[in-house]
Amino acid sequence: MHAHWNQRTHLSRLSREPPRCTFFPMRQACSVVRRAHSVDRVSRAPCCGAHARIALLPVASCAVLVAMSSFERHAGAAQTNVTIAMAPAPVAPQIVGTTVFSSKPGSPLLFTVGATGTPSPTFSATRLPSGVTMSRTGTLSGTTPAGGSYPIAVTITSSAGTATATITLLAQDTLAATPAMGWNSYDSFGSSVTEDEVMQAAEAQQSILLPAGYRYVVVDYLWFDPEDIIDANGRYLPSPSRFPSATGSSGFKSLADRIHALGLNFGIHIMRGVPRGSVSKNTPIAGSSYSTSDAANTNDACPWDGHMWGVAGATAAGKAWYDSIFAQYAAWGIDFVKVDDMLNNSVSPMVYHQAEADAIRSAIDQTGRSIVFSLSPGPMQTSDAADLEADANQWRLVNDFWDKNGLSTLSGVFDAAASWQGVSSLSPGHWPDADMLPLGWLGPRCPVHASGPTAFSHNQQVTVMTLWTILPSPLIFGGNEPMLSGDAWTAALLTNSEVIAVNQDPDGKEAKLVAQNGSLQTWRKDLSGGRVAVAFFNSGDADATMSITFASLGMLPMATVRDAWNRADVNVTGDGPSVDVPYQAAALVVVTPPQVGMPDASTPEGGGSSGMGSSSGMGSSSGSGSSSGSGSSSGLSSNGTGSSVGSAMAGGSNSSREASGGSAGMVADGGLSETGRGTPSGCSCRMGSKEHDGGATFLALAALAAGSHSRRRRSRS
């Protein structure tokens, strides 16, 4: 991913880039406010003046949306700091995070259930498949059973109470049923991380991040440097000076075993291709009659790294090469492989190395091991979506993303996400990846700037986590994990169980951009149980109030609203949630329709409550009725002037809703005001200073939504 960093090339690229908004893409005329080395000073569109409101703007495939999202700038250019829940998890035990995971039938299984509580709870399970056991610390291990879905009833117990939930094992070839969560060494250590540093990070991850679901520990770029040792079959071996346990052909086996013993999964970064030193020696390829010179494509070298030649992936020799290295990785116990240089983005048109991706996919499958396959760098193209989904579990949306000096800005991530949200073919197990999270303390050997705390402000950090969460993107932390013990803010940012539950929702649906006005955006993600997550983003220089109606979400006004970042219920008395979003920050709410929630976690089939009283919505706790901080709504308030949305429904007050979370059947009958003031007919809204009678438009959109807005439930393949 970041392996191709070249400071000179990078700076020259930056010098050629035109001035641009560094947060959100501006598709209207705007005046850019840009400050040096800042990704947070952004644009103000003329139509975003004080008190300006707009109705929902149809965007891309979201033209079917029914109703209103509105925005209002705070007078006086108010600037406030975002708040998130900082209190520790409740004392009573709770099962949190991922509730659905996948593993290849017949492969070694390792998955640790996320849980919080003080003291640490003890785990037990029933309905375990044959050959699978659970440790008292929550790690499921053994051999993955034959293909199928296996609901496992998990109970956690401590002196503070008991909680139960169902964790579903999907025994299938497609891995990463939800986006991967973990840590990668590159942002803090570049190409120089050592075995001791990896283990220190893993131990910190086990205690701080694993309970929230961060499972993967990934050693990034050039783990074979500086010795560049190749074995008798031309394959790189880990640097013995940096990884002293990697003796002989055992490679990373010892390190992987130690990480697995912590309940974590282990991954590595590799470069596409075959080592040039192997080709010059013409070493044999293990398990075949070919040599490395047969497999190499010396006309297809990486443009920014001199270690490898490309591979003729469509040939038998090329396939044999990838079969040989992945057989080696499987023997080492590798669970995750990030393959770099899979996109040559230095030429136009960009070149995606499809033949090599196909060969790698086949090689992984032949190992019989559950190895998640990640592609880097980006920006991967939507035109390659079908091929990407056929081969990879995740692929990069953008080039290298950093807190500063990056090849991609936060604006670029929003641009790319807006493009990919129109791709309807994606299914769980295949995730567009917004890149690593450059948060917390970056160092001691950060490759792109002096080691230290992230350059993002708290407001910007909440924006990053909210966008990655709702897309949903893999959550791969790049900061120094041992430093989290003294960094309460970053720990709270990364481990908020209700935010993670949105990212790890078992239905695995993509978010949609549903409204935009200059530097204000609203995104929607349909969740399991008929719930909807709504993210509000404000990249402007002043705080803003942002609203969305229950009608636009396909819900009745009795729906409940939860502020995920503050783990607090929100009392809404108008026609939908209205959120005060600080400048350059974001808010995330989860809306639950009346009498619809996740199954009761106290039953064997349960996955948790809807989140109205529990911290994560993934587990119930005896004697615990609410999460910490639930008495505060942190700036979320109702409009206070809205009329009942129910009275605006055609054909009575009933709303039909498909299981996929679509808003079928929502047809307006007038009387609904965008401002919530109950104008007698249609939708009255303002774009800048111009008034519009939105009744006809609202009815047309509503009718369109009734016929086409519901999405098909995607099958897992």
Side-chain angles (χ1 to χ4, degrees):
M1 145 179 137
H2 295 87
H4 56 291
W5 178 260
N6 180 294
Q7 183 75 3
R8 180 176 299 172
T9 300
H10 170 69
L11 292 176
S12 66
R13 284 188 186 180
L14 287 183
S15 67
R16 292 195 301 268
E17 288 183 357
R20 61 173 297 178
C21 304
T22 57
F23 197 141
F24 291 162
M26 298 297 106
R27 292 177 175 81
Q28 298 95 335
C30 63
S31 61
V32 178
V33 179
R34 178 148 181 164
R35 302 181 186 177
H37 301 299
S38 177
V39 186
D40 63 332
R41 303 300 189 221
V42 281
S43 311
R44 280 198 302 266
C47 54
C48 293
H51 302 292
R53 288 179 178 268
I54 65 167
L56 176 74
L57 299 177
V59 179
S61 62
C62 299
V64 296
L65 288 164
V66 180
M68 281 63 72
S69 180
S70 63
F71 314 108
E72 179 176 330
R73 287 290 184 197
H74 289 187
Q79 292 183 331
T80 58
N81 295 323
V82 73
T83 64
I84 64 173
M86 295 293 295
V91 170
Q94 293 182 331
I95 296 174
V96 300
T98 310
T99 58
V100 174
F101 73 103
S102 49
S103 186
K104 186 178 178 67
S107 70
L109 184 147
L110 182 70
F111 175 87
T112 300
V113 177
T116 61
T118 305
S120 297
T122 298
F123 287 75
S124 62
T126 59
R127 297 190 298 180
L128 286 167
S130 176
V132 176
T133 61
M134 171 172 272
S135 72
R136 291 173 61 83
T137 56
T139 299
L140 291 162
S141 60
T143 300
T144 308
S149 177
Y150 297 85
I152 301 170
V154 177
T155 299
I156 58 175
T157 305
S158 74
S159 58
T162 298
T164 63
T166 295
I167 306 297
T168 301
L169 162 60
L170 300 176
Q172 59 185 29
D173 290 338
T174 299
L175 304 179
T178 59
M181 297 176 63
W183 174 81
N184 181 291
S185 65
Y186 191 76
D187 282 6
S188 288
F189 297 95
S191 60
S192 64
V193 72
T194 67
E195 182 169 346
D196 284 346
E197 288 168 333
V198 172
M199 284 307 303
Q200 290 167 13
E203 289 164 359
Q205 186 168 331
Q206 181 196 37
S207 63
I208 300 171
L209 297 183
L210 180 59
Y214 293 81
R215 295 180 175 82
Y216 291 96
V217 174
V218 180
V219 173
D220 208 278
Y221 187 46
L222 298 186
W223 40 263
F224 44 82
D225 189 69
E227 293 88 351
D228 294 359
I229 298 172
I230 57 175
D231 69 7
N233 295 112
R235 300 170 295 194
Y236 275 128
L237 296 174
S239 162
S241 62
R242 291 165 53 201
F243 301 95
S245 71
T247 57
S249 62
S250 64
F252 279 124
K253 180 69 166 63
S254 176
L255 179 58
D257 287 346
R258 293 168 68 192
I259 289 174
H260 291 158
L262 297 175
L264 295 160
N265 301 97
F266 182 57
I268 59 173
H269 165 286
I270 67 170
M271 295 297 300
R272 172 187 70 88
V274 56
R276 296 187 185 189
S278 302
V279 176
S280 64
K281 295 177 181 178
N282 198 27
T283 57
I285 296 175
S288 79
S289 59
Y290 300 103
S291 66
T292 50
S293 60
D294 297 324
N297 179 357
T298 57
N299 295 316
D300 185 25
C302 174
W304 45 264
D305 179 271
H307 288 86
M308 315 293 279
W309 293 119
V311 168
T315 67
K319 294 174 183 177
W321 167 252
Y322 279 120
D323 289 347
S324 72
I325 65 171
F326 277 90
Q328 179 188 58
Y329 302 154
W332 290 352
I334 303 299
D335 308 302
F336 182 107
V337 175
K338 183 174 76 174
V339 185
D340 211 334
D341 188 37
M342 292 302 296
L343 178 75
N344 185 348
N345 54 22
S346 64
V347 297
S348 182
M350 295 182 291
V351 177
Y352 169 49
H353 296 284
Q354 180 62 56
E356 291 192 64
D358 291 343
I360 293 169
R361 174 75 270 161
S362 175
I364 291 174
D365 291 343
Q366 289 185 55
T367 68
R369 186 173 180 84
S370 294
I371 300 176
V372 172
F373 179 20
S374 172
L375 294 179
S376 178
M380 291 293 180
Q381 303 160 97
T382 57
S383 58
D384 292 320
D387 290 329
L388 291 166
E389 179 161 9
D391 286 334
N393 298 110
Q394 59 187 63
W395 55 87
R396 284 270 296 280
L397 287 174
V398 294
N399 208 332
D400 295 353
F401 173 75
W402 286 90
D403 54 329
K404 61 181 179 180
N405 299 333
L407 295 174
S408 293
T409 63
L410 192 49
S411 170
V413 180
F414 274 95
D415 276 332
S419 297
W420 277 92
Q421 56 112 24
V423 178
S424 60
S425 62
L426 302 182
S427 59
H430 311 282
W431 310 105
D433 176 12
D435 203 0
M436 299 193 310
L437 297 164
L439 305 174
W441 185 276
L442 300 172
R445 298 184 295 281
C446 178
V448 303
H449 60 77
S451 296
T454 180
F456 286 137
S457 68
H458 283 187
N459 286 17
Q460 296 163 343
Q461 292 175 51
V462 170
T463 291
V464 169
M465 279 297 294
T466 303
L467 180 60
W468 269 237
T469 290
I470 201 163
L471 289 179
S473 168
L475 300 178
I476 307 297
F477 179 51
N480 189 308
E481 290 191 293
M483 298 288 283
L484 288 174
S485 61
D487 184 355
W489 164 267
T490 305
L493 183 77
L494 294 172
T495 62
N496 184 307
S497 56
E498 296 189 31
V499 173
I500 289 172
V502 172
N503 179 268
Q504 295 290 294
D505 187 76
D507 279 7
K509 295 176 182 175
E510 300 97 353
K512 298 294 182 183
L513 172 60
V514 298
Q516 179 175 352
N517 181 35
S519 57
L520 303 176
Q521 289 190 9
T522 303
W523 287 71
R524 163 193 178 141
K525 173 178 168 60
D526 292 339
L527 304 176
S528 56
R531 300 165 301 133
V532 178
V534 181
F536 300 99
F537 297 98
N538 171 19
S539 69
D541 288 340
D543 298 351
T545 297
M546 304 177 66
S547 304
I548 196 165
T549 64
F550 288 129
S552 69
L553 300 176
M555 294 189 184
L556 296 175
M558 295 82 76
T560 55
V561 180
R562 181 84 171 166
D563 172 5
W565 275 116
N566 286 282
R567 300 201 302 262
D569 291 341
V570 179
N571 181 25
V572 179
T573 59
D575 58 3
S578 180
V579 184
D580 290 335
V581 186
Y583 77 114
Q584 301 162 17
L588 179 65
V589 299
V590 175
V591 185
T592 301
Q595 299 180 343
V596 175
M598 299 181 70
D600 184 353
S602 63
T603 66
E605 294 76 24
S609 70
S610 64
M612 293 306 105
S614 69
S615 171
S616 69
M618 289 298 166
S620 65
S621 304
S622 61
S624 176
S626 65
S627 68
S628 59
S630 61
S632 151
S633 64
S634 183
L636 274 76
S637 63
S638 69
N639 287 332
T641 56
S643 59
S644 171
V645 175
S647 64
M649 303 290 179
S653 61
N654 292 328
S655 168
S656 65
R657 182 178 181 84
E658 293 190 2
S660 63
S663 55
M666 297 298 296
V667 180
D669 191 25
L672 181 61
S673 167
E674 182 274 338
T675 59
R677 292 178 174 84
T679 54
S681 64
C683 166
S684 174
C685 57
R686 290 183 293 180
M687 289 189 181
S689 60
K690 186 175 181 180
E691 297 286 344
H692 294 272
D693 180 3
T697 301
F698 179 70
L699 286 170
L701 285 174
L704 180 61
S708 63
H709 182 51
S710 62
R711 298 176 58 202
R712 63 180 177 84
R713 187 183 184 94
R714 295 179 305 187
S715 61
R716 302 182 185 273
S717 59

